[in-house]
Amino acid sequence: MSKLLRIGVLASGGGTNLQAIIDRCQDGHLAAEIAVVITNNPGAGALDRAAKANIPTLCINHRDFSHREDFDNAVVSALQKAEVDLVVLAGFMRIITQTFIDAFPDRVINIHPALLPAFPGLHVQQQALDYGARFSGCTVHFVDGGVDTGPIIIQAVVPILPDDSADSLSARILEQEHCIYPQAIQLIAEDRVRVAGRQVVITPACPAEATALVNPATSLQ
Ligand code: GAR
């Protein structure tokens, strides 16, 4: 068996994306092992999920640091000690500094609950609703120096329905997050992913969905 990709997962909240990654590692669809789960939030549900799966955990509370860089240096040291090949931000609600990115060049990925470049930042499901968008979705991307601006690996699209709330839309998006995040990690584990400027090149190429999505549906196609 070839070597498993060692990943470090950073999470601040409930950790359902972490759980999806754990499940895919356990059922053999993901050729990766989670070397460490790090949180900045002592109350993060992600800690329980990791502990249940016997994954080492670490809480590094950002409130214990007066400078963002010092917090990032502590996280980077922990990730280096765990010898991770890839850093996976899974609901990690801190902006990371250039020092962090430089320590893992093209090796930090994030999942965002919108179709980037639309709606970067926070509360993006509500933003998509307020804007009146007909579709939203989720994006897995490499992390660069900006907020949700890095090269895009994979996206999933979901419709926005007339009676959606931020909660119902978030749930529909989250379901897709749980599919595309393990998929993106698996492509990296297979060493098929390269960053070329703004583009992410996947070799051999993955087939894309060939059908257009229209919302509301049309009979004129
Ligand atoms: C997910 O929807 C993720 O895309 C989002 O936080 C949620 C975490 O859920 N991340 C961001 O908004 C990052 N800016 P989880 O803790 O259940 O995985």
Side-chain angles (χ1 to χ4, degrees):
M1 200 178 78
S2 56
K3 185 180 165 287
L4 295 175
L5 184 78
R6 279 177 76 79
I7 61 177
V9 179
L10 271 52
S12 303
T16 65
N17 276 291
L18 167 67
Q19 190 65 55
I21 296 165
I22 292 172
D23 293 346
R24 289 310 195 178
C25 289
Q26 287 178 347
D27 70 16
H29 284 93
L30 188 41
E33 61 181 324
I34 305 176
V36 66
V37 169
I38 301 175
T39 183
N40 62 310
N41 169 18
L47 285 172
D48 299 329
R49 294 179 188 273
K52 273 203 188 91
N54 293 316
I55 296 165
T57 60
L58 209 52
C59 178
I60 303 176
N61 192 336
H62 62 279
R63 293 196 171 83
D64 295 338
F65 297 82
S66 34
H67 299 289
R68 201 179 274 276
E69 291 246 329
D70 295 339
F71 168 72
D72 272 13
N73 282 328
V75 176
V76 165
S77 297
L79 291 164
Q80 285 169 338
K81 199 170 155 211
E83 299 184 336
V84 309
D85 304 310
L86 179 72
V87 182
V88 173
L89 309 185
F92 187 61
M93 303 314 259
R94 306 289 305 166
I95 291 170
I96 66 174
T97 60
Q98 194 61 42
T99 317
F100 192 138
I101 296 163
D102 290 345
F104 294 95
D106 292 341
R107 290 271 128 184
V108 184
I109 61 173
N110 180 47
I111 189 149
H112 181 74
L115 276 184
L116 292 172
F119 309 121
L122 294 175
H123 312 298
V124 295
Q125 298 91 342
Q126 188 61 54
Q127 282 189 51
L129 288 173
D130 292 346
Y131 194 88
R134 296 292 189 184
F135 289 100
S136 188
C138 45
T139 304
V140 179
H141 63 93
F142 284 101
V143 176
D144 64 6
V147 177
D148 304 319
T149 52
I152 292 169
I153 304 168
I154 184 168
Q155 294 185 300
V157 181
V158 304
I160 295 179
L161 305 179
D163 56 355
D164 261 334
S165 62
D167 281 349
S168 62
L169 178 58
S170 299
R172 191 174 310 118
I173 292 172
L174 207 48
E175 208 179 313
Q176 296 307 314
E177 293 185 37
H178 299 162
C179 298
I180 67 168
Y181 217 3
Q183 173 73 71
I185 297 167
Q186 178 60 19
L187 288 170
I188 293 170
E190 291 171 8
D191 200 20
R192 293 172 60 187
V193 177
R194 294 278 174 278
V195 179
R198 262 233 61 87
Q199 264 74 47
V200 169
V201 181
I202 300 172
T203 329
C206 296
E209 295 291 343
T211 326
L213 302 173
V214 183
N215 180 27
T218 173
S219 55
L220 298 180
Q221 278 182 317

